């Protein structure tokens, strides 16, 4: 999944021949899952039509402060556009537009929006090689760099003049790759490795039957997706679940039993920065597993159970630098039991669920949790979607590394 997915992008197009490439650029943004608003300078409409770009972006194209042909027209709010965007890209960025950006010469909607933008701004220069190397253009590059804007370097190739050299706007695929790489490098969990366990475990009685629980795995899957979207490399160990992952940075390992989850967790734990044990692991398993299906011949039937290995406690015993997070699902004395679990299992943070809270628990899209850290600090959260709870958990991790 692209890091551009869900991003709100303002694409500014200035008047150069490379503007014809922006149709493909918009298509790539949409394919990546971004939402695009296009702003054109008046001159850029000589090279590509607003109709083409509005069709591809599925949004109206803006090119002036208001529609001069409509006496009742509302103005295009450049401040609103600038605040709406998660990032702004100006491509092609001609020498004229670059100079206006550098000097604040605000004579069109594109520059007005640029001056109002609070988001990261990228620009992809496009001009002939002598213009590209001219001292005034170099001064524009320097000024924009000082402003914190990011240049997507021009490429070398055949130019509109017929000459060949530097100044050709980067190809749309290369622009997308540049943006993805730059955004990924700035993600708060970039370089971090996170282990997540999710879902139930099934403990076999015979080849047909098992002991299990109602966990869907959604909480753990949402945590894994959130962490990966913020740059982490994630190993997700899941018990039986119908869920799948979307992000390419998630290594999904499917297991069935508590023993399999134990072995997989210990296999990967040493190389992790963080471990989040969100799985609902069975506390007990049948001591003897029948080789054949057990026939229904008796009115009463007993199964002798034995304890499964405590995955969370075992990780707490061997942890070194890892930030270890556990979950607790309680029905009584919730806070006291959770605090005891922190000490007993050497946790840094526990996420407490109570079945007394409406909307929390297995098989529901929402959850209501309480965070308790190893210092005993208690933070009660409101009922939220599991995606939002996952984001809160990941925020705790980010605070740990960026305090």
């Amino acid at each position: 999944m692209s890091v551009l997915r869900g991003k709100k992008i303002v694409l500014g197009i200035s008047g150069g021949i490379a503007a014809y490439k922006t149709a493909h650029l918009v298509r790539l943004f949409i394919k990546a899952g971004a939402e695009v608003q296009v702003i054109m300078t008046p001159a850029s409409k000589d090279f590509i039509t607003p109709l083409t770009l509005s069709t591809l972006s599925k949004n109206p194209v803006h090119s002036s402060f208001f529609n001069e042909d409509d006496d009742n027209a509302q103005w295009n709010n450049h401040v609103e556009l600038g605040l709406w965007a998660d990032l702004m890209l100006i491509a092609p960025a001609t020498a004229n537009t670059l100079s206006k950006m550098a000097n604040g010469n605000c004579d069109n909607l594109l520059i007005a929006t640029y001056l109002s933008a609070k988001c990261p701004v990228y620009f992809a220069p496009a001009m002939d090689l002598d213009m590209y190397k001219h001292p005034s253009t170099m001064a524009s590059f320097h000024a924009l760099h000082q402003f914190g804007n990011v240049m997507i370097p021009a490429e070398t190739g055949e130019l509109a003049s017929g000459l060949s050299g530097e100044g050709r706007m980067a190809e749309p695929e290369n622009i997308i790759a540049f943006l993805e790489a730059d955004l990924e490098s700035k993600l708060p969990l970039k370089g971090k490795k996170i282990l997540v366990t999710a879902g139930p475990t099934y403990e076999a009685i015979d080849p047909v039957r098992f002991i299990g629980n109602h966990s869907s795995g959604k909480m753990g899957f949402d945590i894994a997706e959130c962490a990966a979207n913020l740059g982490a490399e994630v190993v997700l160990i899941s018990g039986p679940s119908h869920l799948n992952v979307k992000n390419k940075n998630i290594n999904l390992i499917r297991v069935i039993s508590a023993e399999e989850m134990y072995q997989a967790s210990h296999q990967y734990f040493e190389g992790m920065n963080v471990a989040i044990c969100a799985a609902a692991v069975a506390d007990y398993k049948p001591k003897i597993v029948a080789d054949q299906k057990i026939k229904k011949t008796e009115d009463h039937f007993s199964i002798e159970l034995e304890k499964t290995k405590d995955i969370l406690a075992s990780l707490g015993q061997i942890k070194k630098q890892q930030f270890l997070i556990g979950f607790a699902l309680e029905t009584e004395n919730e806070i006291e039991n959770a605090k005891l679990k922190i000490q007993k299992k050497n946790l840094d943070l526990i996420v407490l669920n109570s079945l007394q809270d409406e909307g929390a628990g297995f098989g529901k899209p929402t959850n209501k949790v309480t965070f308790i850290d190893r210092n005993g600090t208690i933070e009660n959260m409101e009922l939220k979607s599991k995606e939002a709870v996952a984001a809160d958990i990941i925020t705790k991790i980010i605070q740990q590394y960026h305090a």
Side-chain angles (χ1 to χ4, degrees):
M1 184 175 68
S2 172
V3 71
L4 295 172
R5 183 177 181 82
K7 287 285 188 290
K8 298 175 181 177
I9 299 174
V10 166
L11 173 61
I13 303 173
S14 59
I17 185 61
Y20 82 90
K21 297 180 181 181
T22 57
H24 186 39
L25 183 58
V26 170
R27 282 188 65 94
L28 292 175
F29 277 135
I30 299 299
K31 185 177 180 180
E35 184 178 353
V36 183
Q37 297 268 11
V38 176
I39 303 175
M40 304 180 71
T41 65
S44 69
K45 292 189 285 186
D46 293 332
F47 299 95
I48 187 169
T49 68
L51 178 61
T52 297
L53 296 168
S54 65
T55 301
L56 294 172
S57 68
K58 302 178 177 63
N59 280 313
V61 168
H62 310 285
S63 60
S64 61
F65 290 101
F66 61 94
N67 184 352
E68 297 179 356
D69 297 327
D70 184 354
D71 292 337
N72 298 314
Q74 293 183 331
W75 73 307
N76 290 317
N77 191 334
H78 59 89
V79 175
E80 187 175 287
L81 285 167
L83 296 177
W84 171 84
D86 294 315
L87 71 88
M88 183 175 188
L89 168 66
I90 300 174
T94 61
N96 183 45
T97 291
L98 290 170
S99 178
K100 290 178 180 180
M101 292 167 63
N103 293 286
N105 182 5
C106 185
D107 65 349
N108 62 45
L109 181 63
L110 173 56
I111 301 301
T113 304
Y114 162 73
L115 294 174
S116 300
K118 302 298 183 185
C119 61
V121 177
Y122 298 82
F123 61 96
M127 63 200 75
D128 215 80
L129 72 166
D130 292 328
M131 297 171 68
Y132 192 78
K133 295 295 186 182
H134 195 277
S136 65
T137 306
M138 293 293 109
S140 295
F141 291 162
H142 178 73
L144 295 177
H145 176 73
Q146 293 295 106
F147 295 161
N149 301 163
V150 180
M151 183 170 80
I152 302 175
E155 298 176 357
T156 299
E158 185 178 352
L159 304 169
S161 65
L163 300 175
S164 183
E166 192 174 16
R168 182 186 179 98
M169 188 181 89
E171 294 301 313
E173 291 85 356
N174 296 337
I175 290 175
I176 296 293
F178 183 99
L179 291 173
E180 289 178 332
D182 191 67
L183 291 171
E184 286 176 356
S185 71
K186 297 171 181 175
L187 292 173
L189 292 178
K190 183 67 175 178
K192 296 290 185 256
K193 296 182 178 180
I194 298 180
L195 173 69
V196 181
T197 66
T201 63
Y202 289 174
E203 310 304 323
I205 298 171
D206 61 23
V208 177
R209 304 176 181 90
F210 61 85
I211 296 172
N213 58 60
H214 297 296
S215 174
S216 66
K218 180 170 172 52
M219 188 74 257
F221 274 73
D222 286 341
I223 292 169
E225 290 286 352
C226 184
N229 290 343
L230 292 176
E233 294 180 42
V234 179
V235 173
L236 173 59
I237 303 171
S238 174
S241 173
H242 69 281
L243 300 174
N244 283 297
V245 298
K246 301 174 184 176
N247 195 298
K248 59 181 173 53
N249 288 329
I250 300 175
N251 177 17
L252 175 59
I253 298 169
R254 295 194 183 275
V255 298
I256 296 175
S257 68
E259 177 63 24
E260 290 176 349
M261 185 171 285
Y262 177 94
Q263 295 297 335
S265 297
H266 279 262
Q267 178 182 346
Y268 290 96
F269 182 68
E270 184 177 355
M272 296 291 131
N273 301 106
V274 180
I276 307 169
C277 293
V281 183
D283 294 319
Y284 293 89
K285 65 179 180 179
K287 188 171 183 178
I288 298 174
V289 179
D291 293 332
Q292 303 295 326
K293 179 183 175 183
I294 299 171
K295 299 296 184 181
K296 188 171 65 174
T297 57
E298 305 293 335
D299 291 336
H300 301 281
F301 180 72
S302 298
I303 301 175
E304 185 179 359
L305 301 178
E306 62 181 2
K307 275 189 176 182
T308 58
K309 294 176 182 176
D310 191 323
I311 297 172
L312 186 57
S314 68
L315 297 180
Q317 289 175 356
I318 64 173
K319 81 170 188 176
K320 297 176 183 177
Q321 84 290 348
Q322 293 93 344
F323 189 73
L324 183 58
I325 301 175
F327 274 66
L329 178 63
E330 302 289 347
T331 59
E332 57 182 358
N333 299 324
E334 292 96 339
I335 299 295
E336 293 80 2
N337 288 335
K339 285 184 175 180
L340 287 172
K341 187 174 285 190
I342 290 175
Q343 297 173 2
K344 184 178 179 181
K345 302 191 178 186
N346 193 23
L347 308 181
D348 297 289
L349 181 71
I350 199 160
V351 184
L352 172 62
N353 294 270
S354 172
L355 285 182
Q356 306 299 326
D357 293 323
E358 186 176 353
F362 293 148
K364 297 177 181 176
T366 56
N367 207 352
K368 186 177 186 298
V369 303
T370 299
F371 292 118
I372 308 175
D373 66 21
R374 66 183 304 116
N375 298 319
T377 304
I378 300 173
E379 185 178 358
N380 294 304
M381 310 300 288
E382 298 177 353
L383 182 68
K384 299 181 178 182
S385 69
K386 286 186 175 177
E387 293 87 349
V389 174
D392 288 339
I393 294 169
I394 297 303
T395 296
K396 294 290 184 184
I397 295 170
I398 294 171
Q399 291 171 349
Q400 167 71 16
Y401 289 102
H402 297 276

